[in-house]
């Protein structure tokens, strides 16, 4: 089949599931954008800047399976790079396409704008190689082969890839055979041996447990994991990167695991387990209670996407999905384990008396009751994420957080991507004032696309998460106090279609929540607190960060 390089790239993007490309027009990508406009089945979503575009593609990919972002060379590339690094850290498959200067300019080392004007066209690629699993600069003679190589990598490794697309090759015709599906298959003998190791350990275990991490989302392993746990009666717990991936109700759900950040029964059960099946587990500071995890020596069976480590033996060339399926089949009629489980976790806040003073304790209890089954709940780094990681979420909810890269401001544009990927679901976002000011422009894009989302702007007058670490009264943790509730109207929101409210006490919040429940479209609710008012877990987190980063045991709290 013969066609243009631009059409070939778009066909292959659609083939792997891309239906939206986020980005910003630039002079080197305009011809490709003209082609996107004329291509059915793929839509360009213009954002306010490239950083937000890449965050939106990340949020879209977490819901749909893959995301894509289009930038222009140099200025756009580097603007998006922090978000691309975040997707790499968190294991999110995003295709980054950079419209770059024409091949004749690259070949002659022409001094053009959006470069350092030194003739160097390799420095941006060098930056992206640090944060992607594959990269390529397309040329007519190798465009098809290089495109297939890079897209194979994003499907297999589930992390970002990078394609430089010179501006003068979009309509160059090439032979483009139909793409071949990327399927990795392990050696059957190795697979049987690896499954045998795990089944033997499970047969001997008195207290097994499954620890779930982000790999389960990356590779869509939810059904396989649930099948394994229910078939054998194995309880499971989730790190913060894997909340809501598996049902958070029922006898086998232990609860969130973060050692010191866990409920005592969960932490003790995992500590005493003699067989811990870790599914892609990485004990990062922010997901392990600052490296407080405790496992019995030799208890961990470490299942990674393409390897297994068990009893000191390592096996490469496996595929996690095939391994979990082989374990379930090999267990056959093995009787289920009968571990003594801790009481079912209850993460709901205790009932507060009507006289309870206004503050975050009251706020989080009220909004937790506002959440509905099936909601997609975004929470930005800081008070919001800590509160939601300790919340009991209704059945079928999806939690959109970024605990590893932990960039403040991530959640607003990521929620844009999630909204467009899943418009049939209700979206709820909790974001602090400091985080909001990082990426506030994308509120206008949410309004432009009439997204169904309720946004809670938690106004603490600055960076409360940093105050909990150091400088509770320091000026460097202060920010300007915007008139947040006025922003939807200023950003083009139709007064009849947008609900914008403020709440400064429990009664006002109850009224706002009642209105938001009945509202279709964007609802924006600003809630105000004093600078050091935060969920209980945030102070504990601040102490842990302070000890680890600075060796300081006691804070200078007022």
């Amino acid at each position: 089949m013969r066609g243009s390089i631009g059409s070939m790239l778009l066909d292959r993007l659609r083939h792997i599931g891309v239906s939206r490309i986020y980005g910003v027009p630039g002079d080197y990508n305009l011809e490709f954008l003209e082609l996107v406009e004329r291509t059915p089945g793929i839509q360009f979503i213009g954002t306010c800047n490239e950083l937000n575009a890449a965050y939106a593609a990340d949020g879209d990919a977490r819901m749909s399976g893959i995301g894509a972002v289009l930038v222009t060379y140099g200025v756009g590339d580097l603007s998006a790079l922090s978000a691309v690094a975040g997707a790499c850290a968190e294991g999110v498959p995003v295709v980054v396409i950079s419209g770059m200067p024409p091949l004749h300019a690259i070949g002659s080392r022409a001094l053009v704008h959006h470069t350092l004007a030194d003739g160097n066209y390799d420095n941006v690629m060098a930056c992206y190689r640090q944060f992607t699993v594959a990269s390529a600069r397309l040329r007519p003679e190798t465009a098809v082969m290089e495109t297939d190589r890079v897209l194979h990598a994003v499907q297999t490794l589930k992390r970002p890839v990078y394609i430089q697309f010179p501006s003068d090759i979009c309509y160059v015709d090439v032979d483009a055979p139909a793409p071949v599906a990327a399927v990795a298959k392990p050696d059957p003998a190795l697979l049987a041996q690896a499954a045998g190791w795990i089944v033997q350990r499970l047969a001997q275990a008195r207290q097994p447990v499954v620890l779930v991490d982000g790999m389960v989302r990356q590779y869509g392993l939810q059904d396989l994991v649930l099948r394994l746990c229910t078939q054998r009666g194995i309880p499971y717990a989730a790190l913060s990167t894997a909340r809501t991936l598996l049902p958070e109700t029922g006898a086998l759900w232990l609860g969130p695991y973060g050692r010191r950040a866990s409920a005592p029964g969960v932490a003790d059960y995992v500590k005493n387990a003699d067989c811990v099946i870790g599914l892609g587990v990485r004990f990062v500071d922010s997901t392990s209670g600052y490296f407080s995890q405790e496992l019995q020596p030799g208890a961990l069976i470490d299942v990674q996407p393409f390897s297994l480590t068990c009893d000191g033996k390592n096996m490469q060339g496996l595929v996690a999905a095939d391994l979990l399926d082989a374990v379930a089949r090999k267990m056959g009629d093995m009787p289920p384990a009968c571990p003594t489980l801790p009481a079912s976790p209850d993460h709901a806040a205790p009932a507060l008396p009507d006289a309870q003073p206004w503050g975050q304790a009251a706020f989080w209890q009220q909004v937790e009751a506002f959440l509905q089954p099936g909601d997609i709940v975004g929470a930005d780094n800081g008070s919001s994420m800590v509160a939601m990681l300790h919340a009991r979420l209704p059945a079928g909810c999806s939690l959109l957080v970024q605990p590893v890269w932990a960039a403040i401001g991530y959640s607003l544009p990521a929620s844009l991507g999630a909204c467009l990927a899943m418009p049939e679901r209700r979206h709820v976002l909790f974001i602090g004032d400091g985080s909001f000011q990082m990426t506030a422009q994308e509120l206008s894009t949410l309004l432009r696309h009439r997204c169904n989302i309720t946004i809670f702007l938690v106004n603490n007058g600055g960076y409360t998460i940093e105050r909990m670490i150091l400088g509770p009264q320091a000026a460097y943790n202060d920010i300007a106090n915007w008139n947040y509730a006025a922003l939807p109207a200023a950003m083009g929101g139709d007064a009849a279609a947008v609900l914008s409210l403020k709440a400064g006490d429990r009664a006002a919040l109850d009224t706002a929540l009642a209105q938001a429940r009945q509202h279709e479209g964007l609802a924006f609710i600003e809630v105000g607190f004093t600078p050091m008012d935060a969920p209980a877990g945030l102070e504990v987190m601040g102490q842990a960060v302070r000890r680890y980063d600075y060796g300081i045991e006691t804070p200078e709290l007022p």
Side-chain angles (χ1 to χ4, degrees), residues 387-540:
M388 284 297 103
L389 288 175
H390 287 83
R392 169 178 281 183
L393 299 175
C397 280
S398 299
L399 184 60
L400 182 63
V401 291
Q402 195 199 47
V404 176
W405 190 243
I408 67 171
Y410 160 81
S411 66
L412 181 65
S415 291
L416 166 66
C419 282
L420 296 177
M422 295 285 177
E424 71 280 5
R425 295 173 65 179
R426 189 181 76 156
H427 297 254
V428 181
L429 170 63
F430 300 96
I431 185 168
D433 50 340
S435 298
F436 181 79
Q437 289 194 13
M438 288 278 185
T439 55
Q441 308 98 313
E442 244 44 67
L443 179 61
S444 65
T445 315
L446 286 160
L447 289 163
R448 179 183 177 189
H449 289 276
R450 300 184 180 276
C451 294
N452 183 25
I453 184 169
T454 300
I455 300 173
F456 292 93
L457 189 286
V458 181
N459 187 350
N460 273 102
Y463 300 121
T464 297
I465 186 172
E466 313 297 356
R467 298 185 200 277
M468 290 290 179
I469 301 170
L470 277 179
Q473 298 174 326
Y476 58 73
N477 282 325
D478 297 337
I479 62 174
N481 188 28
W482 296 359
N483 184 0
Y484 296 100
L487 287 177
M491 289 186 169
D494 181 349
V498 177
L499 182 67
S500 190
L501 304 166
K502 282 187 177 183
D505 56 45
R506 294 183 66 184
L509 181 60
D510 276 335
T511 301
L513 294 178
Q515 293 182 60
R517 284 189 188 95
Q518 303 301 317
H519 183 72
E520 287 290 330
L522 192 144
F524 189 94
I525 303 173
E526 178 189 350
V527 287
F529 305 100
T530 58
M532 294 301 290
D533 191 0
L538 196 65
E539 184 175 349
V540 175

Side-chain angles (χ1 to χ4, degrees), residues 92-116:
V92 183
V94 173
V95 181
V96 183
I97 305 161
S98 173
M100 72 177 306
L103 280 176
H104 68 79
I106 298 168
S108 66
R109 297 176 61 85
L111 309 186
V112 303
H113 66 285
H114 293 341
T115 74
L116 299 183

Side-chain angles (χ1 to χ4, degrees), residues 174-463:
V174 293
D175 287 321
V180 178
V183 179
K185 284 295 179 185
D187 182 314
L190 288 178
L191 183 63
Q193 184 181 2
W197 290 353
I198 297 176
V199 170
Q200 183 178 17
R201 285 289 305 277
L202 285 173
Q204 298 167 348
R206 299 182 310 277
Q207 186 165 310
V209 68
V210 169
L211 280 186
V212 181
D213 208 334
M215 181 185 79
V216 173
R217 168 189 49 77
Q218 285 176 281
Y219 291 90
L221 303 177
Q222 292 91 325
D223 290 343
L224 286 168
V225 177
L226 199 57
R227 172 189 170 194
L228 173 66
C229 291
T230 53
Q231 181 178 354
R232 179 66 181 146
I234 307 171
Y236 56 88
L239 277 71
S240 58
T241 42
R243 283 293 308 275
T244 68
L245 294 179
L246 296 182
E248 298 191 348
T249 56
L252 296 179
W253 167 239
L254 280 178
Y257 179 75
R259 185 53 181 99
R260 286 198 187 104
S262 310
V266 179
D268 290 343
Y269 189 93
V270 174
K271 175 183 176 181
N272 295 319
D274 58 346
C275 179
V276 180
I277 300 178
L279 300 178
V281 167
R282 299 180 298 169
F283 289 119
V284 181
D285 55 2
S286 56
T287 67
S288 65
Y290 267 75
F291 307 114
S292 62
Q293 73 274 6
E294 291 184 80
L295 305 179
Q296 293 291 323
L300 180 63
I301 298 174
D302 185 18
V303 180
Q304 294 295 334
F306 303 104
S307 69
L308 169 69
T309 302
C310 178
D311 295 332
K313 298 173 288 187
N314 177 266
M315 185 178 289
Q316 298 290 326
L318 300 170
V319 176
D322 293 329
L323 179 58
L324 292 174
D325 180 63
V327 169
R329 286 187 286 105
K330 192 174 279 284
M331 285 195 305
D333 297 326
M334 182 189 299
C338 298
T340 302
L341 302 179
S344 296
D346 185 356
H347 307 293
L352 297 175
D354 291 339
Q356 173 78 16
W358 172 248
Q360 291 214 17
F363 168 71
W364 292 112
Q365 185 196 33
Q366 285 175 274
V367 295
E368 195 171 318
F370 171 78
L371 300 177
Q372 299 174 356
D375 284 350
I376 296 177
V377 182
D380 215 279
N381 192 40
S383 299
S384 299
M385 185 165 69
V386 168
M388 284 297 103
L389 288 175
H390 287 83
R392 169 178 281 183
L393 299 175
C397 280
S398 299
L399 184 60
L400 182 63
V401 291
Q402 195 199 47
V404 176
W405 190 243
I408 67 171
Y410 160 81
S411 66
L412 181 65
S415 291
L416 166 66
C419 282
L420 296 177
M422 295 285 177
E424 71 280 5
R425 295 173 65 179
R426 189 181 76 156
H427 297 254
V428 181
L429 170 63
F430 300 96
I431 185 168
D433 50 340
S435 298
F436 181 79
Q437 289 194 13
M438 288 278 185
T439 55
Q441 308 98 313
E442 244 44 67
L443 179 61
S444 65
T445 315
L446 286 160
L447 289 163
R448 179 183 177 189
H449 289 276
R450 300 184 180 276
C451 294
N452 183 25
I453 184 169
T454 300
I455 300 173
F456 292 93
L457 189 286
V458 181
N459 187 350
N460 273 102
Y463 300 121

